[in-house]
Amino acid sequence: MKKILVTGGAGYIGSHICLKLSESGYQPVVYDNLSNGHRDAVAPNITFIHADIRDRDALDHAFETFRPDAVIHMAALIEAGLSMREPARFYEINTAGTLILLEAMRRHQCHRIVFSSTAAVYGNCDVNLLDETLPIRPENPYGRSKAMVEGLLTDYGVIYGFHALALRYFNAAGADPQGRIGERHDPETHLIPLALQAAAGHRDALKIFGNDYNTPDGTCIRDYIHVDDLAAAHIAALHHVLHQSKPGFDAINIGTGQGCSVRDIMRLCQEITGNSFAVSDAPRRPGDPARLVANPAKAEDMLNWQALYRNPRDMIMHAWAFYCKMAGPS
Ligand code: UDP
């Protein structure tokens, strides 16, 4: 059975990936400092290492002990808004931290990696659907910290013979369809969980960050991708890096190809929960591109993967079911 070291495996997306890895015949080993993840999001039968990716000794110990066949690297800071206020932390953890991990991989002859990248690497592009051939022009340090890692992986592919794939996530949403795990950030900054908190009466109102974008309703458009589909994309990407004979690096969009505005999401959250909540207009959040929607064709071609949940309604329904299970609506 192939062993996969999953950094950030106790986080929202990571925990869904670990479930899917176990169900697909892999042995995940979670490596997480719990700065944002939850110990109880990792199933009891999965090995858990409580450590930071910047800790060389802990990495050496993990590679010596478990000898993973590949790494899925997700451990990172993820909030674009925060990155506009504290960029140094993003470069330290996301970029320099990844370099430390890559060097540990080199020391231990583990040369296969699936990396969590982001649609934020594109920034503002005047196209309907973003494809991977577009120039990389991030609008915020979060996107830049990830774009820099894509640069590292390009060189590690060519010069050190790494087999590396970056998955450029669009907006992860939803929860395990069976309700076992879901999204739990503290503090929460993402749109759908915030809207559900408001619908549950656990938050007074929701702010719309910017109503004057050049979009049909003036609010930002995003491509929401179900976390279960995102997890399935990692299994396909892992299969690719484990079996690809030629080393190298490539980047692939993981999205649905459909856009949804902030106002659309609010409306759906009110409709699905049956609860209305107050919504107020607020200034733009610095660093937010107006529209990020994937062209998912490359993922279909290269990974034989496509999103099964194509409607944000399913994502919100699953997220709401998990929210009610965890917190209970008031
Ligand atoms: N957003 C909003 N109000 C909120 C949180 C988010 O209007 O309270 C907007 C945000 O400006 C962006 C979209 O919702 O246009 C998605 O934001 P999120 O933080 O969920 O994900 P991001 O696209 O930044 O990764």
Side-chain angles (χ1 to χ4, degrees):
M1 189 185 269
K2 297 247 190 263
K3 286 186 200 154
I4 314 299
L5 190 74
V6 186
T7 74
Y12 166 46
I13 300 171
S15 56
H16 287 80
I17 289 173
C18 287
L19 268 187
K20 195 73 90 193
L21 282 170
S22 301
E23 289 165 5
S24 308
Y26 292 100
Q27 183 185 339
V29 173
V30 171
Y31 187 103
D32 198 303
N33 69 0
L34 295 183
S35 58
N36 288 303
H38 302 273
R39 180 67 185 87
D40 65 3
V42 182
N45 61 330
I46 294 177
T47 304
F48 175 75
I49 303 165
H50 186 190
D52 193 290
I53 51 164
R54 293 163 295 173
D55 182 339
R56 289 175 177 76
D57 294 340
L59 283 171
D60 280 335
H61 189 252
F63 278 97
E64 271 158 25
T65 310
F66 296 103
R67 307 203 166 280
D69 297 282
V71 173
I72 296 181
H73 175 39
M74 272 173 301
L77 298 181
I78 58 161
E79 289 164 31
L82 178 65
S83 80
M84 295 294 286
R85 302 191 297 278
E86 300 184 32
R89 287 180 63 205
F90 283 71
Y91 294 121
E92 196 215 328
I93 296 169
N94 296 6
T95 312
T98 301
L99 181 58
I100 293 168
L101 170 69
L102 293 176
E103 284 302 278
M105 291 177 68
R106 234 156 50 86
R107 284 196 295 283
H108 297 274
Q109 285 85 46
C110 175
H111 293 165
R112 294 173 196 267
I113 181 167
V114 177
F115 170 63
S116 305
S117 190
T118 170
V121 300
Y122 294 113
N124 267 313
C125 284
D126 201 13
V127 295
N128 222 15
L129 299 180
L130 297 160
D131 68 59
E132 295 84 348
T133 59
L134 286 165
I136 298 303
R137 275 196 301 240
E139 284 287 306
N140 52 57
Y142 165 63
R144 201 164 293 114
S145 73
K146 294 277 185 174
M148 287 162 98
V149 173
E150 291 195 4
L152 294 177
L153 291 173
T154 305
D155 291 340
Y156 274 62
V158 174
I159 301 166
Y160 297 136
F162 271 50
H163 301 249
L165 269 187
L167 302 186
R168 293 180 180 161
Y169 304 171
F170 284 68
N171 285 57
D176 171 39
Q178 294 175 46
R180 292 166 292 184
I181 46 177
E183 189 164 12
R184 282 187 282 160
H185 293 119
D186 187 19
E188 187 52 76
T189 62
H190 292 105
L191 180 64
I192 292 177
L194 286 176
L196 296 181
Q197 287 177 7
H202 296 148
R203 167 175 297 275
D204 285 343
L206 203 67
K207 289 184 179 144
I208 295 186
F209 295 145
N211 59 9
D212 57 350
Y213 285 95
N214 184 20
T215 59
D217 70 14
T219 68
C220 287
I221 293 180
R222 295 287 180 272
D223 179 341
Y224 292 88
I225 170 89
H226 197 298
V227 68
D228 195 60
D229 281 329
L230 200 45
H234 284 77
I235 305 299
L238 189 60
H239 187 268
H240 187 89
V241 297
L242 286 170
H243 295 96
Q244 153 204 62
S245 53
K246 231 174 113 227
F249 167 76
D250 215 338
I252 306 180
N253 289 340
I254 303 297
T256 65
Q258 283 157 32
C260 208
S261 76
V262 174
R263 279 198 210 287
D264 291 336
I265 292 290
M266 307 237 172
R267 252 194 310 274
L268 278 173
C269 286
Q270 306 209 27
E271 192 186 308
I272 287 163
T273 61
N275 299 335
S276 62
F277 49 84
V279 173
S280 63
D281 288 325
R284 291 184 178 196
R285 194 173 65 178
D288 272 349
R291 176 186 167 88
L292 291 172
V293 181
N295 177 345
K298 188 170 174 183
E300 292 175 24
D301 289 350
M302 256 182 83
L303 303 180
N304 196 22
W305 169 91
Q306 57 181 354
L308 298 179
Y309 296 100
R310 308 195 68 81
N311 190 334
R313 192 176 281 279
D314 294 317
M315 307 174 203
I316 295 170
M317 272 164 42
H318 291 152
W320 180 237
F322 180 74
Y323 189 88
C324 294
K325 180 178 155 188
M326 293 308 291
S330 60

